[in-house]
Structure formats: C-alpha cells, structure tokens
Amino acid sequence: LKRPIHFMKIDVEGHEDLVLKGADEMMKTAPPAYILMEYNHNVLVQKQVDVAKFMQRIYDLGYHVYDCQMQEMLTPGFGTSVLASTYAHKYVITDLLLIHKDTFTKAALKDQGTFVKIPCGHDEDTYKKAEILGI
C-alpha cells in the first residue's frame, strides 16, 4: 500500500473471519490503526466460525478489542466467553472497535479522554466524532 489505512469498517454478515484471512498480508505489513467490526455471535456460529479462534486471530494480529455496547475492553480468552454469553440471543449484536497495538498507547488514550468516549456505532454522528479524533 502506498498510504497507511487509518480506519477500516467490516460489516459482512458473518464473513468477518474470511475478510481478515483475505487481508492477511496487509494486516501483517500495514495494519489499519482502527477497525470497526459488527459482531453477531449467532451468525458466526451459523457460518461455522470457531469464535475462540476468530478472536484469537484478532489478538494475534496485534489488536486490542473494545466492545462498543458494553463500553469495555475485552481480554484474550475471557473476552470470547463474555461475547458468547452476552450476545447469544439471536437478535443481539454489537460493534467491536479493534485498536492496533501501535495506536493503542496510554498517551493516545489520554489525548482522547476516557475510553468510553471512543466513537462506536453506525450513525452519522459517529463518523463525525471519529473524524474529530483523527480516526
């Protein structure tokens, strides 16, 4: 890539794992600073995605995972079980904000205020907030 990708949105109805696999080379050489990804546990299970392996892939790529609905960070291992229990109902989804380790620094968090203020969601206001934060 000639220019770095700062923000990427993935909303592909249960095919998120395939997108990450297809973007493997880019994710290793020029990973986006932020990825906003819809998470629907039941759709992933229906698509026969091993959710634990899928989440581990995200962590292995160097991303921290922030659950936009619960407004908290998810930790490797424990985060997968939280997602499964919280979003097991077929109509409940969330957005996950993936923040690459090179972007995720205490200084960056201090500049952006409290973590709860990091924009997540689908509305137009979210993108305006993201633009203001430089995401």
Side-chain angles (χ1 to χ4, degrees), residues 3 6 16-17 30 41 49 54-57 59 65-66 72 76-77 94-95 98 115 124 126 129:
R3 296 187 311 186
H6 297 288
E16 290 80 7
D17 191 45
H41 185 79
V49 173
F54 169 64
M55 292 303 295
Q56 189 58 53
R57 175 192 257 319
Y59 292 118
V65 180
Y66 179 78
E72 63 183 55
T94 188
D95 286 313
L98 313 182
F115 212 80
E124 189 173 316
T126 295
K129 289 178 192 171

Side-chain angles (χ1 to χ4, degrees), residues 73-122:
M73 295 300 294
L74 301 178
T75 56
F78 180 70
T80 302
S81 61
V82 169
L83 287 170
S85 62
T86 305
Y87 301 109
H89 188 276
K90 67 180 184 176
Y91 300 111
V92 180
I93 62 171
T94 188
D95 286 313
L96 300 178
L97 181 63
L98 313 182
I99 307 164
H100 195 266
K101 64 183 178 184
D102 294 342
T103 305
F104 188 87
T105 64
K106 289 184 180 182
L109 289 178
K110 184 178 179 184
D111 289 344
Q112 294 177 1
T114 62
F115 212 80
V116 173
K117 292 183 182 177
I118 288 183
C120 294
H122 297 289

Side-chain angles (χ1 to χ4, degrees), residues 6-81:
H6 297 288
F7 182 83
M8 179 176 168
K9 182 169 190 260
I10 302 173
D11 186 354
V12 290
E13 306 305 321
H15 299 286
E16 290 80 7
D17 191 45
L18 294 174
V19 169
L20 292 180
K21 286 178 183 174
D24 193 54
E25 186 62 32
M26 178 195 71
M27 298 299 279
K28 290 178 182 174
T29 60
Y34 301 91
I35 299 174
L36 183 63
M37 178 176 63
E38 184 178 84
Y39 180 87
N40 185 325
H41 185 79
N42 286 303
V43 170
L44 290 172
V45 171
Q46 287 173 357
K47 302 282 184 187
Q48 300 181 337
V49 173
D50 182 323
V51 176
K53 287 181 181 178
F54 169 64
M55 292 303 295
Q56 189 58 53
R57 175 192 257 319
I58 291 169
Y59 292 118
D60 290 347
L61 289 168
Y63 284 92
H64 297 271
V65 180
Y66 179 78
D67 183 319
C68 297
Q69 184 168 320
M70 291 191 302
Q71 296 188 343
E72 63 183 55
M73 295 300 294
L74 301 178
T75 56
F78 180 70
T80 302
S81 61

